[in-house]
Amino acid sequence: LEVYDVSCTEVWLHLKVERISLPAGGVVRIEGIKEMPVTITTNDTLLFFDSLEVNREYKFKVILQNPGQTLTTNEATARTLNTTSHIFKWETFEIGSGQSCWIDDVAMIDENDIWAVGSITLKDSLEGGTMIRFNAIHWDGSKWELKRIYYPTVCSNSSSKTSYPTKSIFLFDNKEIWTSTAGDKIAIINNGLQSKSFCIPANESDGGINKIAGYSNKDLYYAGSRGNLGYYNGSKWKNIETGTTKSINDIYGVKSREGKRTVFCAVSYVFQPGDYKVLKINGENQKVDSISLEKERRVHTVWAANERIIYTGGGGIYDNKRGYWQQSYDPIYYVRNIRGTGHNDIYACGDYCMFAHFNGLTWKRYYELYGYGAFNAIAIKGKTIILVGYKGERALIVRGVRD
């Protein structure tokens, strides 16, 4: 018996049993006093306990019995988490002029090294109001600086480069950054400088790119608008059959204590009926399973605490903690991104510049940030959070620091 995970009010225990016939009934003894009945049907079981006290230590032991058989496990000790603070100090930046501007995605190396991507235009006062377009912006700890990331103008001619609007950005653990257009083009940034750009092979990129994510530059995925999902192993790309033609809007990968990799993808199309589900991909062999929502709620974004506990956003915020979906929170407006650092620190953003935070016990919406626009993405590092999107005709960045 071992602790699998904890939240502020919940504990998950991983039970592996041998030398007893199954199914087997028994009890879970909590704190040596309280007992809860349990029936075990498999050798490998995830047990779930809720309604616990915040920031408290609990001791668990399982006792199973069959005729002529008794199995008593070791004692497992778990401490529930404390809540996190809802208090942030906000700083807002509205960028761009003259034409529609937006930011689609953001990556944060640290609070003094932040990259955001999208499409931003400025009027050049020296050129009679000529519009100048940028597709990235960088924060150095004191100011934002507009940047251009260059991609092949056409894939058949790698010598010609264009700074197309940029759709997605992803930061790997080695601080290498990959960005993509909404089409088939990718660029790589190292140490603040662009080092490479290329196209995904035409037969692998039908449907374009919505998101890039992965574990390294030799183990990564991209997702697109026609159910297309691609995998790169460091030398070649391959298509992964997903069983859907609807848009895959988001990707999030986790790694178990044993190193097992699991990737989750959010599937649905905002304006049309169809599939509403989460894809679960085995990172070892790219085998795809799907987890359908019990209600037809659009799934735009996904975040996972581990390979078994999933949170989604879109038409509401849902969680899957015990093998079934339940609504965690209704933020009213459509959710475009959900991310977290743990069960006691989860963030969601979306339409009308909606932003909400879960501290492990309660959700809080930040009405002071609302506006005519949307937040498209979130990045979190330490006490700093970055929200990006648009407001009116201008690109929008909000920087929050936890008090």
Side-chain angles (χ1 to χ4, degrees), residues 105-226:
D105 208 354
V106 59
M108 179 161 41
I109 296 173
D110 57 46
E111 68 274 15
N112 299 316
D113 194 353
I114 304 166
W115 288 82
V117 295
S119 179
I120 301 170
T121 54
L122 292 178
K123 287 183 179 180
D124 188 343
S125 59
L126 300 178
E127 296 292 336
T130 300
M131 303 308 298
I132 305 175
R133 185 175 294 276
F134 301 86
N135 60 1
I137 188 167
H138 178 257
W139 173 260
D140 65 0
S142 60
K143 67 182 183 303
W144 291 101
E145 180 182 0
L146 290 166
K147 299 277 189 177
R148 289 190 179 97
I149 300 170
Y150 290 92
Y151 304 93
T153 303
V154 293
C155 294
S156 59
N157 181 6
S158 60
S159 62
S160 176
K161 305 290 184 181
T162 301
S163 58
Y164 291 114
T166 297
K167 176 71 172 174
S168 179
I169 185 168
F170 189 79
L171 170 68
F172 294 103
D173 288 343
N174 66 354
K175 298 184 180 181
E176 183 171 276
I177 291 173
W178 284 43
T179 69
S180 79
T181 66
D184 57 358
K185 299 171 177 62
I186 288 177
I188 300 174
I189 298 170
N190 284 288
N191 299 317
L193 299 174
Q194 182 172 342
S195 59
K196 190 176 182 181
S197 64
F198 58 92
C199 294
I200 297 174
N203 61 329
E204 307 291 349
S205 59
D206 182 44
I209 302 172
N210 286 330
K211 282 286 185 180
I212 298 175
Y215 302 94
S216 73
N217 57 14
K218 297 180 181 179
D219 184 11
L220 65 94
Y221 299 79
Y222 78 86
S225 298
R226 298 179 185 173

Side-chain angles (χ1 to χ4, degrees), residues 254-269:
V254 295
K255 187 181 290 188
S256 71
R257 298 169 186 170
E258 297 77 28
K260 178 185 176 183
R261 304 184 307 280
T262 305
V263 177
F264 296 97
C265 299
V267 178
S268 68
Y269 185 62

